[in-house]
């Protein structure tokens, strides 16, 4: 698709002059274990050198953007490349369209995703890559329409992209399948008109708040495990889901107030009596951010996830399988201090689950040596919850990471 985009942009005749720019970076990124070695052996979650090229061109109503990475992974001892983004924009007076691989961000949560239903790379996040690598691109079309009374964005994605989970060779964690399973199959939704994902967002200013409504029809990005009756084979699948949501964000109480919620309708387990497919859920988020001094900002969030038809889930759960909570809670805290003319950034982000009692702590120090060179030193510290919960089960994966980048 990227080749087609380039061809469209560069093909004569051009009735407009094109401005083309080239940017990118060289980066070293290393993450060392501090608690245990990788299950597959080795001291590093991540050890790589990476180069990224960004080509951007403007010509009349068209805009071309390409972002390509090439890297050498010392853990796997292999080189590879990745098209991070590659799309063509066309802009008219009251509408625009974007075709190609693109990163989409919806919702108002800070590292909590309710209406941001697009794919994530949690392996990158938990191993100390820069935050931009948490988001993955999708191959599809985005159409915006701006009639004045409100704004509308339609996203169509024919090619399913799952979340990137944690590799069992790099992360110690409990297997989601019982030891009796000898045959594992991974199934992703096949590309078809019926399986094409559709997402819609409508937004406008409402009494000083940015108000949005969301709709998504597609699939859970994280896989569920279906077991055979004799529990000797398992299939990782992505069940169908529809999401209906809303958000508000604006100035209030001397800071920025954020509210977000959504109903997840599990279309393959409407009654909640299949314990291997997520039940329908309601999700809510309350967030508040305030600048306490000229260079110090604090923010906090509280997140609730409520499982519908919990009694049916509990009744059908096989003996010995871990039981999810009817109500799951999560709180976050972010502190950011800027020093030395904002060249030094001290930050701290934490997740804490009151329902599971587990946590993830992410302290980081980042220093800009110049306009082109910066380095960051941080850590991922997991714990609590007695070894269960989304963070407690990763207790053996604490790591310290270093990022060093030259940008051009």
């Amino acid at each position: 698709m990227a080749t087609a985009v380039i061809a469209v942009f560069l093909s004569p005749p051009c009735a407009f002059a094109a401005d083309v720019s080239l940017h990118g970076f060289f980066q070293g990124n290393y993450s060392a274990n501090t608690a245990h070695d990788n299950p597959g052996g080795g001291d590093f979650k991540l050890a790589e050198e990476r180069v990224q090229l960004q080509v951007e061109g403007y010509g009349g109503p068209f805009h071309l953007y390409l972002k390509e990475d090439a890297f050498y992974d010392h853990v796997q001892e292999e080189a590879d490349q990745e098209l991070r983004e590659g799309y063509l924009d066309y802009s008219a007076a009251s509408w625009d369209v974007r075709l190609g691989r693109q990163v989409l961000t919806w919702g108002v949560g800070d590292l909590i995703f309710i209406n941001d239903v697009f794919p994530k790379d949690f392996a990158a996040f938990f191993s100390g890559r820069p935050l931009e690598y948490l988001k993955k691109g999708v191959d599809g079309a985005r159409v915006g329409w701006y009639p004045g009374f409100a704004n509308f964005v339609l996203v169509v994605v024919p090619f399913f992209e799952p979340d990137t989970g944690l590799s069992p060779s790099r992360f110690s964690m409990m297997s989601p399948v019982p030891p009796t399973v000898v045959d594992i199959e991974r199934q992703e939704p096949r590309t078809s008109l019926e399986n094409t994902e559709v997402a819609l967002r409508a937004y406008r200013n409402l009494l000083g708040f940015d108000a949005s409504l969301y709709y998504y029809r597609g699939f859970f990005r994280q896989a569920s495990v279906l077991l055979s009756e004799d529990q000797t084979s398992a299939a990782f699948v992505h069940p169908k889901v529809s999401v209906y949501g809303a958000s508000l964000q604006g100035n209030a109480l001397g800071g920025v107030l954020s509210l977000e919620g959504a109903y997840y309708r599990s279309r393959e387990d409407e009654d909640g009596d299949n314990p291997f497919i997520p039940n329908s859920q309601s999700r809510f988020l309350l967030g508040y951010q305030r600048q306490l001094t000229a260079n110090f900002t604090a923010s906090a969030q509280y997140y609730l996830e409520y499982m519908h038809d919990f009694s049916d889930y509990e009744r059908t759960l096989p003996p010995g399988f871990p039981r999810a909570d009817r109500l799951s809670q999560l709180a976050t805290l972010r502190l950011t201090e800027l020093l030395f003319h904002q060249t030094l950034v001290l930050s701290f982000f934490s997740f804490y689950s009151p329902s599971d009692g587990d946590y993830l702590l992410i302290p980081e120090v980042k220093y800009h040596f110049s306009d082109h060179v910066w380095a960051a030193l941080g850590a991922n510290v997991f714990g609590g919850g007695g070894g269960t919960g989304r963070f407690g089960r990763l207790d053996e994966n604490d790591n310290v990471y270093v990022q060093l980048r030259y940008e051009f």
Side-chain angles (χ1 to χ4, degrees):
M1 180 173 289
T3 303
V5 168
I6 296 172
V8 169
F9 191 77
L10 299 180
S11 294
C14 292
F16 47 84
D19 294 324
V20 178
S21 63
L22 174 65
H23 298 282
F25 61 74
F26 298 100
Q27 176 179 281
N29 199 173
Y30 312 93
S31 174
N33 295 308
T34 59
H36 293 273
D37 293 346
N38 295 337
D43 300 322
F44 289 87
K45 290 272 186 288
L46 181 67
E48 67 170 30
E49 290 82 40
R50 179 176 295 255
V51 58
Q52 181 178 100
L53 296 178
Q54 303 171 23
V55 179
E56 194 165 13
Y58 294 89
F62 294 99
H63 168 225
L64 170 70
Y65 185 68
L66 294 173
K67 182 190 289 186
E68 177 84 14
D69 280 17
F71 58 90
Y72 185 82
D73 182 348
H74 293 273
V75 176
Q76 295 292 332
E77 297 183 337
E78 64 181 15
D80 206 346
Q81 59 80 34
E82 176 188 18
L83 178 64
R84 299 284 301 164
E85 293 182 78
Y87 55 76
L88 178 68
D89 289 336
Y90 178 82
S91 300
S94 61
W95 63 276
D96 55 33
V97 61
R98 172 170 293 176
L99 299 174
R101 178 165 300 182
Q102 51 197 291
V103 173
L104 297 159
T105 299
W106 286 4
V108 298
D110 182 5
L111 297 180
I112 292 181
F113 308 104
I114 296 180
N115 290 295
D116 188 337
V117 292
F118 305 107
K120 316 292 185 303
D121 186 342
F122 293 104
F125 181 64
F126 289 145
S127 58
R129 281 207 173 113
L131 189 58
E132 67 202 69
Y133 284 91
L134 172 60
K135 304 301 293 291
K136 296 175 63 178
V138 294
D139 295 326
R142 173 195 177 280
V143 180
W145 180 46
Y146 316 104
F149 63 93
N151 303 306
F152 301 89
V153 175
L154 172 67
V155 174
V156 178
V157 181
F159 311 103
F160 177 77
E161 181 68 31
D163 286 343
T164 298
L166 307 183
S167 166
S169 65
R170 302 196 192 202
F171 285 85
S172 301
M173 55 188 173
M174 183 184 301
S175 174
V177 299
T180 55
V181 171
V182 295
D183 182 26
I184 297 177
E185 180 184 9
R186 296 187 180 275
Q187 302 174 1
E188 292 185 2
R190 63 183 178 85
T191 301
S192 67
L193 184 61
E194 179 185 3
N195 288 341
T196 296
E197 300 167 70
V198 177
L200 178 65
R201 178 190 176 203
Y203 62 98
R204 61 160 296 163
N205 184 279
L206 186 66
L207 301 176
F209 279 75
D210 294 325
S212 296
L213 296 174
Y214 308 90
Y215 168 72
Y216 169 72
R217 180 182 174 86
F219 303 86
F220 284 101
R221 300 286 177 190
Q222 294 192 24
S224 298
V225 181
L226 297 183
L227 292 176
S228 61
E229 289 188 5
D230 60 1
Q231 297 190 8
T232 60
S233 62
F236 285 80
V237 301
H238 297 269
K240 298 176 181 176
V241 66
S242 293
V243 181
Y244 311 86
S247 69
L248 283 172
Q249 186 174 60
N251 296 327
L253 305 173
V256 177
L257 182 67
S258 301
L259 297 168
E260 186 171 356
Y263 172 68
Y264 278 59
R265 176 190 162 210
S266 182
R267 290 188 282 127
E268 293 187 37
D269 189 21
E270 299 272 13
D271 298 325
D273 54 5
N274 186 337
F276 302 113
I277 293 179
N279 282 24
S280 296
Q281 303 169 345
S282 292
R283 304 182 181 186
F284 305 97
L285 175 73
L286 171 63
Y288 180 70
Q289 175 181 311
R290 185 164 184 172
Q291 186 172 358
L292 299 177
T293 68
N295 293 308
F296 180 64
T297 304
S299 64
Q301 300 176 113
Y302 187 65
Y303 169 77
L304 288 175
E305 186 176 300
Y306 177 82
M307 181 193 299
H308 295 272
D309 302 308
F310 182 78
S311 58
D312 292 304
Y313 158 78
E314 197 173 36
R315 174 177 55 80
T316 55
L317 186 67
F321 278 70
R323 172 180 168 276
D325 293 327
R326 182 200 300 263
L327 185 65
S328 177
Q329 305 173 69
L330 188 63
T332 73
L333 174 67
R334 180 185 289 278
L335 305 174
T336 305
E337 174 88 40
L338 307 177
L339 300 170
F340 302 117
H341 304 288
Q342 302 185 355
T343 56
L344 179 63
V345 182
L346 308 178
S347 66
F348 173 79
F349 192 92
S350 67
F351 294 94
Y352 173 71
S353 171
S355 50
D356 294 329
D358 59 346
Y359 59 81
L360 168 60
L361 310 178
I362 311 175
E364 185 179 275
V365 179
K366 184 175 184 179
Y367 185 71
H368 292 264
F369 296 94
S370 69
D371 291 339
H372 299 284
V373 180
W374 60 261
L377 172 65
N380 290 295
V381 182
F382 305 89
T388 61
R390 71 190 80 187
F391 304 119
R393 66 191 180 93
L394 299 175
D395 190 27
E396 297 181 353
N397 295 280
D398 295 353
N399 59 81
V400 174
Y401 62 83
V402 175
Q403 305 158 358
L404 177 62
R405 179 181 292 186
Y406 169 77
E407 299 175 338
F408 58 89

